[in-house]
Amino acid sequence: MIKVKQLALFCFFLGLLFMGSCSLPVKNKPTQGGGGVLVFDKEMHNFGQVSYGDVLGVGFKCYNKGSEPVIINEVLLSCGCTEVNYSKAPLEPGDSLYLEVIFDSKGLQGRQVKKVTVCASDSLRTHDLYIWADVMN
């Protein structure tokens, strides 16, 4: 009797987990009703060979090609060696802004690939940007 209750409880929680995951937005698939459309001029940048300890930056220009303002809600970084500077003001339709990504190679060596995820209020919701460098001693 106890095993039947444990199995039923397990199935119940498994079903809740499955139902909850179905409601998550699908990455890079447009959602309905998002009037803002954030478009980047590029999504990748290669710094090439850099010296150990170099601090480098690159600008990713983005445009609002939609009909409503876009707000960048959050920027997620894959490493403490990167930081991002950008305007927190809403991006009006037709306007553009730069996201400045700064990479510090101190403490790193070899091929480094870093991801910056931009979470915005546009129809795609998330945008992945990548930088990479070959850090030489």
Short mmCIF file of all heavy atoms in Angstrom, two decimals, residues 23-84:
data_model
loop_
_atom_site.label_atom_id
_atom_site.label_comp_id
_atom_site.label_asym_id
_atom_site.label_seq_id
_atom_site.Cartn_x
_atom_site.Cartn_y
_atom_site.Cartn_z
N SER A 23 4.94 25.43 -20.19
CA SER A 23 4.52 26.83 -20.23
C SER A 23 5.69 27.78 -20.40
O SER A 23 5.48 28.97 -20.56
CB SER A 23 3.76 27.17 -18.95
OG SER A 23 4.63 27.10 -17.84
N LEU A 24 6.93 27.28 -20.38
CA LEU A 24 8.08 28.16 -20.56
C LEU A 24 8.16 28.61 -22.01
O LEU A 24 7.88 27.84 -22.92
CB LEU A 24 9.37 27.42 -20.17
CG LEU A 24 9.48 27.02 -18.70
CD1 LEU A 24 10.75 26.19 -18.50
CD2 LEU A 24 9.51 28.23 -17.81
N PRO A 25 8.56 29.88 -22.25
CA PRO A 25 8.69 30.32 -23.63
C PRO A 25 9.82 29.60 -24.34
O PRO A 25 10.84 29.28 -23.73
CB PRO A 25 8.99 31.82 -23.50
CG PRO A 25 9.50 32.01 -22.12
CD PRO A 25 8.89 30.92 -21.29
N VAL A 26 9.64 29.34 -25.62
CA VAL A 26 10.66 28.67 -26.41
C VAL A 26 11.66 29.73 -26.87
O VAL A 26 11.28 30.76 -27.42
CB VAL A 26 10.03 27.97 -27.63
CG1 VAL A 26 11.11 27.35 -28.50
CG2 VAL A 26 9.05 26.91 -27.17
N LYS A 27 12.93 29.48 -26.62
CA LYS A 27 13.97 30.43 -26.95
C LYS A 27 14.05 30.67 -28.45
O LYS A 27 14.01 29.75 -29.24
CB LYS A 27 15.30 29.88 -26.43
CG LYS A 27 16.44 30.82 -26.60
CD LYS A 27 17.66 30.25 -25.99
CE LYS A 27 18.79 31.19 -26.22
NZ LYS A 27 19.95 30.85 -25.51
N ASN A 28 14.19 31.95 -28.80
CA ASN A 28 14.36 32.40 -30.18
C ASN A 28 13.19 32.06 -31.09
O ASN A 28 13.33 32.01 -32.28
CB ASN A 28 15.67 31.87 -30.78
CG ASN A 28 16.86 32.51 -30.12
OD1 ASN A 28 16.77 33.61 -29.60
ND2 ASN A 28 17.98 31.83 -30.16
N LYS A 29 12.03 31.82 -30.50
CA LYS A 29 10.82 31.65 -31.30
C LYS A 29 9.91 32.84 -30.98
O LYS A 29 9.63 33.10 -29.82
CB LYS A 29 10.11 30.35 -30.91
CG LYS A 29 8.84 30.12 -31.71
CD LYS A 29 8.19 28.82 -31.33
CE LYS A 29 6.91 28.64 -32.12
NZ LYS A 29 6.18 27.47 -31.67
N PRO A 30 9.49 33.59 -31.99
CA PRO A 30 8.67 34.77 -31.72
C PRO A 30 7.41 34.42 -30.94
O PRO A 30 6.79 33.40 -31.18
CB PRO A 30 8.32 35.28 -33.11
CG PRO A 30 9.38 34.73 -34.00
CD PRO A 30 9.76 33.40 -33.40
N THR A 31 7.07 35.30 -29.98
CA THR A 31 5.84 35.13 -29.24
C THR A 31 4.79 36.04 -29.84
O THR A 31 5.09 36.99 -30.54
CB THR A 31 6.06 35.49 -27.75
OG1 THR A 31 6.52 36.85 -27.69
CG2 THR A 31 7.05 34.57 -27.10
N GLN A 32 3.53 35.76 -29.57
CA GLN A 32 2.47 36.57 -30.13
C GLN A 32 2.37 37.89 -29.37
O GLN A 32 2.54 37.94 -28.17
CB GLN A 32 1.14 35.83 -30.03
CG GLN A 32 1.09 34.62 -30.93
CD GLN A 32 -0.23 33.91 -30.82
OE1 GLN A 32 -0.91 33.98 -29.82
NE2 GLN A 32 -0.59 33.20 -31.86
N GLY A 33 2.09 38.94 -30.09
CA GLY A 33 1.78 40.21 -29.47
C GLY A 33 2.96 41.10 -29.17
O GLY A 33 2.78 42.23 -28.81
N GLY A 34 4.20 40.64 -29.28
CA GLY A 34 5.35 41.48 -28.99
C GLY A 34 5.55 42.48 -30.11
O GLY A 34 5.94 42.12 -31.20
N GLY A 35 5.26 43.77 -29.84
CA GLY A 35 5.35 44.79 -30.87
C GLY A 35 6.76 45.27 -31.13
O GLY A 35 7.04 45.84 -32.17
N GLY A 36 7.67 45.05 -30.17
CA GLY A 36 9.06 45.43 -30.36
C GLY A 36 9.84 44.28 -30.97
O GLY A 36 9.56 43.11 -30.71
N VAL A 37 10.81 44.63 -31.83
CA VAL A 37 11.64 43.60 -32.45
C VAL A 37 13.09 44.06 -32.36
O VAL A 37 13.49 45.01 -33.04
CB VAL A 37 11.25 43.37 -33.93
CG1 VAL A 37 12.16 42.33 -34.57
CG2 VAL A 37 9.80 42.96 -34.05
N LEU A 38 13.86 43.41 -31.51
CA LEU A 38 15.27 43.75 -31.31
C LEU A 38 16.12 42.97 -32.31
O LEU A 38 16.03 41.75 -32.38
CB LEU A 38 15.67 43.38 -29.87
CG LEU A 38 16.92 44.02 -29.31
CD1 LEU A 38 16.81 45.53 -29.30
CD2 LEU A 38 17.16 43.51 -27.89
N VAL A 39 16.91 43.70 -33.10
CA VAL A 39 17.76 43.09 -34.12
C VAL A 39 19.18 43.58 -33.91
O VAL A 39 19.42 44.78 -33.78
CB VAL A 39 17.28 43.48 -35.54
CG1 VAL A 39 18.20 42.91 -36.60
CG2 VAL A 39 15.85 43.02 -35.77
N PHE A 40 20.13 42.63 -33.87
CA PHE A 40 21.55 42.97 -33.69
C PHE A 40 22.26 42.99 -35.03
O PHE A 40 21.97 42.17 -35.91
CB PHE A 40 22.21 41.96 -32.75
CG PHE A 40 21.83 42.16 -31.31
CD1 PHE A 40 20.67 41.61 -30.81
CD2 PHE A 40 22.63 42.92 -30.48
CE1 PHE A 40 20.31 41.81 -29.49
CE2 PHE A 40 22.28 43.13 -29.16
CZ PHE A 40 21.12 42.57 -28.66
N ASP A 41 23.23 43.90 -35.17
CA ASP A 41 24.00 43.96 -36.42
C ASP A 41 24.93 42.76 -36.56
O ASP A 41 25.29 42.38 -37.66
CB ASP A 41 24.78 45.27 -36.53
CG ASP A 41 25.86 45.44 -35.48
OD1 ASP A 41 25.82 44.75 -34.44
OD2 ASP A 41 26.74 46.30 -35.67
N LYS A 42 25.33 42.17 -35.43
CA LYS A 42 26.12 40.94 -35.42
C LYS A 42 25.85 40.24 -34.11
O LYS A 42 25.43 40.86 -33.13
CB LYS A 42 27.61 41.22 -35.60
CG LYS A 42 28.22 42.07 -34.50
CD LYS A 42 29.68 42.34 -34.76
CE LYS A 42 30.27 43.24 -33.69
NZ LYS A 42 31.68 43.51 -33.92
N GLU A 43 26.11 38.94 -34.08
CA GLU A 43 25.88 38.17 -32.86
C GLU A 43 27.15 37.51 -32.36
O GLU A 43 27.13 36.86 -31.31
CB GLU A 43 24.80 37.11 -33.11
CG GLU A 43 23.46 37.73 -33.43
CD GLU A 43 22.40 36.71 -33.80
OE1 GLU A 43 22.76 35.56 -34.13
OE2 GLU A 43 21.22 37.08 -33.77
N MET A 44 28.27 37.68 -33.08
CA MET A 44 29.54 37.08 -32.71
C MET A 44 30.68 38.05 -32.98
O MET A 44 30.60 38.85 -33.91
CB MET A 44 29.79 35.80 -33.51
CG MET A 44 28.80 34.70 -33.23
SD MET A 44 29.14 33.27 -34.26
CE MET A 44 27.88 33.50 -35.49
N HIS A 45 31.72 37.93 -32.14
CA HIS A 45 32.93 38.72 -32.39
C HIS A 45 34.15 37.90 -31.96
O HIS A 45 34.18 37.36 -30.87
CB HIS A 45 32.92 40.04 -31.61
CG HIS A 45 34.14 40.85 -31.86
ND1 HIS A 45 34.31 41.59 -33.01
CD2 HIS A 45 35.26 41.01 -31.13
CE1 HIS A 45 35.48 42.18 -32.96
NE2 HIS A 45 36.09 41.84 -31.83
N ASN A 46 35.14 37.86 -32.85
CA ASN A 46 36.39 37.15 -32.58
C ASN A 46 37.49 38.17 -32.35
O ASN A 46 37.83 38.94 -33.25
CB ASN A 46 36.74 36.25 -33.77
CG ASN A 46 37.99 35.43 -33.54
OD1 ASN A 46 38.64 35.51 -32.50
ND2 ASN A 46 38.35 34.64 -34.53
N PHE A 47 38.05 38.20 -31.13
CA PHE A 47 39.16 39.09 -30.82
C PHE A 47 40.47 38.58 -31.41
O PHE A 47 41.45 39.31 -31.46
CB PHE A 47 39.33 39.26 -29.30
CG PHE A 47 38.25 40.09 -28.67
CD1 PHE A 47 37.34 39.53 -27.79
CD2 PHE A 47 38.15 41.45 -28.92
CE1 PHE A 47 36.36 40.29 -27.18
CE2 PHE A 47 37.18 42.23 -28.32
CZ PHE A 47 36.27 41.65 -27.44
N GLY A 48 40.50 37.31 -31.82
CA GLY A 48 41.74 36.72 -32.34
C GLY A 48 42.71 36.42 -31.22
O GLY A 48 42.32 36.15 -30.08
N GLN A 49 44.00 36.47 -31.52
CA GLN A 49 45.03 36.22 -30.51
C GLN A 49 45.23 37.47 -29.66
O GLN A 49 45.42 38.56 -30.20
CB GLN A 49 46.35 35.81 -31.16
CG GLN A 49 46.31 34.43 -31.77
CD GLN A 49 47.69 33.98 -32.23
OE1 GLN A 49 48.64 34.75 -32.30
NE2 GLN A 49 47.79 32.71 -32.56
N VAL A 50 45.17 37.28 -28.35
CA VAL A 50 45.37 38.38 -27.41
C VAL A 50 46.40 37.95 -26.37
O VAL A 50 46.63 36.75 -26.15
CB VAL A 50 44.05 38.80 -26.72
CG1 VAL A 50 43.00 39.19 -27.74
CG2 VAL A 50 43.52 37.70 -25.83
N SER A 51 47.03 38.93 -25.76
CA SER A 51 48.02 38.65 -24.72
C SER A 51 47.33 38.46 -23.38
O SER A 51 46.30 39.08 -23.08
CB SER A 51 49.02 39.80 -24.62
OG SER A 51 49.73 39.92 -25.82
N TYR A 52 47.93 37.63 -22.55
CA TYR A 52 47.43 37.39 -21.19
C TYR A 52 47.31 38.74 -20.47
O TYR A 52 48.22 39.56 -20.51
CB TYR A 52 48.41 36.47 -20.44
CG TYR A 52 48.01 36.22 -19.01
CD1 TYR A 52 47.18 35.17 -18.69
CD2 TYR A 52 48.48 37.02 -17.99
CE1 TYR A 52 46.81 34.92 -17.38
CE2 TYR A 52 48.13 36.80 -16.67
CZ TYR A 52 47.29 35.75 -16.38
OH TYR A 52 46.93 35.51 -15.08
N GLY A 53 46.17 38.98 -19.88
CA GLY A 53 45.95 40.21 -19.12
C GLY A 53 45.32 41.34 -19.92
O GLY A 53 44.96 42.38 -19.36
N ASP A 54 45.18 41.18 -21.24
CA ASP A 54 44.54 42.22 -22.05
C ASP A 54 43.08 42.39 -21.64
O ASP A 54 42.39 41.41 -21.34
CB ASP A 54 44.58 41.86 -23.54
CG ASP A 54 45.94 42.09 -24.18
OD1 ASP A 54 46.82 42.66 -23.52
OD2 ASP A 54 46.10 41.70 -25.35
N VAL A 55 42.62 43.63 -21.65
CA VAL A 55 41.21 43.95 -21.45
C VAL A 55 40.71 44.54 -22.76
O VAL A 55 41.23 45.55 -23.23
CB VAL A 55 41.00 44.93 -20.28
CG1 VAL A 55 39.53 45.29 -20.13
CG2 VAL A 55 41.55 44.35 -18.99
N LEU A 56 39.72 43.87 -23.36
CA LEU A 56 39.24 44.24 -24.69
C LEU A 56 37.75 44.51 -24.66
O LEU A 56 37.03 43.97 -23.83
CB LEU A 56 39.52 43.09 -25.67
CG LEU A 56 40.97 42.60 -25.68
CD1 LEU A 56 41.05 41.21 -26.25
CD2 LEU A 56 41.83 43.56 -26.46
N GLY A 57 37.31 45.33 -25.60
CA GLY A 57 35.88 45.63 -25.68
C GLY A 57 35.39 45.60 -27.11
O GLY A 57 36.16 45.80 -28.05
N VAL A 58 34.11 45.34 -27.26
CA VAL A 58 33.47 45.35 -28.57
C VAL A 58 32.04 45.84 -28.38
O VAL A 58 31.41 45.57 -27.35
CB VAL A 58 33.49 43.95 -29.24
CG1 VAL A 58 32.72 42.93 -28.42
CG2 VAL A 58 32.97 44.02 -30.65
N GLY A 59 31.55 46.57 -29.38
CA GLY A 59 30.18 47.05 -29.34
C GLY A 59 29.29 46.21 -30.22
O GLY A 59 29.63 45.92 -31.37
N PHE A 60 28.16 45.80 -29.69
CA PHE A 60 27.13 45.12 -30.46
C PHE A 60 25.99 46.12 -30.63
O PHE A 60 25.35 46.51 -29.64
CB PHE A 60 26.62 43.87 -29.74
CG PHE A 60 27.59 42.73 -29.72
CD1 PHE A 60 28.50 42.59 -28.69
CD2 PHE A 60 27.59 41.79 -30.74
CE1 PHE A 60 29.40 41.53 -28.67
CE2 PHE A 60 28.48 40.72 -30.73
CZ PHE A 60 29.39 40.60 -29.69
N LYS A 61 25.75 46.55 -31.85
CA LYS A 61 24.69 47.52 -32.10
C LYS A 61 23.38 46.79 -32.31
O LYS A 61 23.32 45.81 -33.06
CB LYS A 61 25.01 48.37 -33.32
CG LYS A 61 24.08 49.54 -33.51
CD LYS A 61 24.55 50.48 -34.61
CE LYS A 61 23.68 51.72 -34.69
NZ LYS A 61 24.15 52.64 -35.72
N CYS A 62 22.33 47.26 -31.64
CA CYS A 62 21.01 46.67 -31.84
C CYS A 62 20.01 47.75 -32.19
O CYS A 62 20.17 48.92 -31.82
CB CYS A 62 20.57 45.86 -30.63
SG CYS A 62 20.39 46.80 -29.12
N TYR A 63 18.99 47.35 -32.92
CA TYR A 63 17.95 48.24 -33.41
C TYR A 63 16.60 47.71 -32.97
O TYR A 63 16.40 46.51 -32.90
CB TYR A 63 17.94 48.26 -34.95
CG TYR A 63 19.27 48.58 -35.58
CD1 TYR A 63 20.20 47.57 -35.82
CD2 TYR A 63 19.59 49.88 -35.94
CE1 TYR A 63 21.42 47.85 -36.41
CE2 TYR A 63 20.81 50.17 -36.54
CZ TYR A 63 21.73 49.16 -36.76
OH TYR A 63 22.93 49.43 -37.34
N ASN A 64 15.67 48.62 -32.75
CA ASN A 64 14.29 48.22 -32.53
C ASN A 64 13.57 48.38 -33.86
O ASN A 64 13.25 49.48 -34.28
CB ASN A 64 13.62 49.07 -31.46
CG ASN A 64 12.19 48.64 -31.20
OD1 ASN A 64 11.66 47.77 -31.86
ND2 ASN A 64 11.56 49.27 -30.23
N LYS A 65 13.33 47.27 -34.55
CA LYS A 65 12.66 47.29 -35.85
C LYS A 65 11.15 47.09 -35.72
O LYS A 65 10.46 46.93 -36.72
CB LYS A 65 13.23 46.17 -36.74
CG LYS A 65 14.71 46.27 -36.98
CD LYS A 65 15.00 47.00 -38.23
CE LYS A 65 16.50 46.98 -38.49
NZ LYS A 65 16.85 47.43 -39.79
N GLY A 66 10.65 47.12 -34.48
CA GLY A 66 9.23 46.90 -34.26
C GLY A 66 8.44 48.18 -34.12
O GLY A 66 8.93 49.28 -34.40
N SER A 67 7.22 48.04 -33.63
CA SER A 67 6.30 49.18 -33.51
C SER A 67 6.11 49.65 -32.08
O SER A 67 5.40 50.63 -31.85
CB SER A 67 4.95 48.79 -34.11
OG SER A 67 4.42 47.68 -33.41
N GLU A 68 6.74 48.98 -31.12
CA GLU A 68 6.62 49.36 -29.70
C GLU A 68 8.00 49.41 -29.08
O GLU A 68 8.94 48.77 -29.57
CB GLU A 68 5.77 48.32 -28.95
CG GLU A 68 4.33 48.28 -29.39
CD GLU A 68 3.52 47.22 -28.65
OE1 GLU A 68 3.97 46.76 -27.58
OE2 GLU A 68 2.45 46.86 -29.15
N PRO A 69 8.16 50.17 -27.98
CA PRO A 69 9.46 50.24 -27.31
C PRO A 69 9.92 48.86 -26.80
O PRO A 69 9.09 48.01 -26.49
CB PRO A 69 9.23 51.18 -26.13
CG PRO A 69 8.01 51.95 -26.49
CD PRO A 69 7.17 51.04 -27.34
N VAL A 70 11.23 48.68 -26.74
CA VAL A 70 11.82 47.45 -26.20
C VAL A 70 12.65 47.84 -24.97
O VAL A 70 13.40 48.82 -25.00
CB VAL A 70 12.72 46.75 -27.24
CG1 VAL A 70 13.48 45.60 -26.60
CG2 VAL A 70 11.90 46.27 -28.41
N ILE A 71 12.51 47.06 -23.93
CA ILE A 71 13.29 47.28 -22.71
C ILE A 71 14.20 46.08 -22.52
O ILE A 71 13.75 44.93 -22.60
CB ILE A 71 12.37 47.42 -21.48
CG1 ILE A 71 11.47 48.66 -21.64
CG2 ILE A 71 13.19 47.50 -20.20
CD1 ILE A 71 10.38 48.75 -20.61
N ILE A 72 15.49 46.35 -22.31
CA ILE A 72 16.41 45.27 -21.95
C ILE A 72 16.27 45.06 -20.45
O ILE A 72 16.64 45.90 -19.65
CB ILE A 72 17.86 45.61 -22.36
CG1 ILE A 72 17.94 45.74 -23.88
CG2 ILE A 72 18.82 44.54 -21.84
CD1 ILE A 72 19.29 46.15 -24.41
N ASN A 73 15.68 43.94 -20.09
CA ASN A 73 15.37 43.65 -18.70
C ASN A 73 16.58 43.18 -17.91
O ASN A 73 16.71 43.49 -16.72
CB ASN A 73 14.28 42.57 -18.61
CG ASN A 73 12.99 43.00 -19.27
OD1 ASN A 73 12.54 44.12 -19.08
ND2 ASN A 73 12.42 42.14 -20.07
N GLU A 74 17.45 42.42 -18.59
CA GLU A 74 18.56 41.79 -17.89
C GLU A 74 19.58 41.32 -18.91
O GLU A 74 19.23 40.99 -20.04
CB GLU A 74 18.00 40.60 -17.10
CG GLU A 74 18.98 39.80 -16.33
CD GLU A 74 18.30 38.67 -15.55
OE1 GLU A 74 17.24 38.15 -15.98
OE2 GLU A 74 18.86 38.30 -14.52
N VAL A 75 20.84 41.29 -18.50
CA VAL A 75 21.89 40.72 -19.34
C VAL A 75 22.61 39.68 -18.49
O VAL A 75 23.11 39.98 -17.40
CB VAL A 75 22.88 41.80 -19.83
CG1 VAL A 75 24.01 41.17 -20.61
CG2 VAL A 75 22.17 42.83 -20.69
N LEU A 76 22.64 38.44 -18.98
CA LEU A 76 23.27 37.33 -18.27
C LEU A 76 24.64 37.06 -18.88
O LEU A 76 24.76 36.98 -20.10
CB LEU A 76 22.39 36.09 -18.35
CG LEU A 76 20.95 36.26 -17.89
CD1 LEU A 76 20.14 35.02 -18.21
CD2 LEU A 76 20.89 36.59 -16.42
N LEU A 77 25.64 36.88 -18.03
CA LEU A 77 27.01 36.65 -18.49
C LEU A 77 27.43 35.24 -18.12
O LEU A 77 27.10 34.74 -17.05
CB LEU A 77 27.95 37.67 -17.85
CG LEU A 77 27.56 39.13 -18.05
CD1 LEU A 77 28.43 40.04 -17.22
CD2 LEU A 77 27.65 39.50 -19.51
N SER A 78 28.19 34.60 -19.01
CA SER A 78 28.62 33.22 -18.75
C SER A 78 29.88 33.16 -17.90
O SER A 78 30.28 32.08 -17.49
CB SER A 78 28.86 32.50 -20.08
OG SER A 78 29.95 33.07 -20.78
N CYS A 79 30.50 34.32 -17.62
CA CYS A 79 31.77 34.30 -16.91
C CYS A 79 31.97 35.63 -16.20
O CYS A 79 31.52 36.67 -16.70
CB CYS A 79 32.89 34.07 -17.93
SG CYS A 79 34.55 34.09 -17.25
N GLY A 80 32.68 35.60 -15.10
CA GLY A 80 33.02 36.82 -14.38
C GLY A 80 34.06 37.66 -15.10
O GLY A 80 34.35 38.78 -14.70
N CYS A 81 34.61 37.14 -16.18
CA CYS A 81 35.62 37.85 -16.96
C CYS A 81 35.00 38.81 -17.96
O CYS A 81 35.71 39.50 -18.69
CB CYS A 81 36.54 36.87 -17.67
SG CYS A 81 35.67 35.86 -18.89
N THR A 82 33.67 38.86 -18.03
CA THR A 82 32.99 39.76 -18.95
C THR A 82 32.07 40.70 -18.19
O THR A 82 31.58 40.37 -17.10
CB THR A 82 32.16 38.99 -19.99
OG1 THR A 82 31.25 38.13 -19.31
CG2 THR A 82 33.03 38.17 -20.92
N GLU A 83 31.86 41.86 -18.76
CA GLU A 83 30.85 42.79 -18.25
C GLU A 83 30.22 43.49 -19.44
O GLU A 83 30.79 43.50 -20.54
CB GLU A 83 31.44 43.78 -17.25
CG GLU A 83 32.44 44.73 -17.82
CD GLU A 83 32.98 45.71 -16.77
OE1 GLU A 83 33.79 45.28 -15.94
OE2 GLU A 83 32.57 46.88 -16.81
N VAL A 84 29.05 44.07 -19.22
CA VAL A 84 28.33 44.73 -20.30
C VAL A 84 27.86 46.09 -19.83
O VAL A 84 27.33 46.23 -18.73
CB VAL A 84 27.12 43.88 -20.76
CG1 VAL A 84 26.32 44.61 -21.82
CG2 VAL A 84 27.57 42.54 -21.29
#
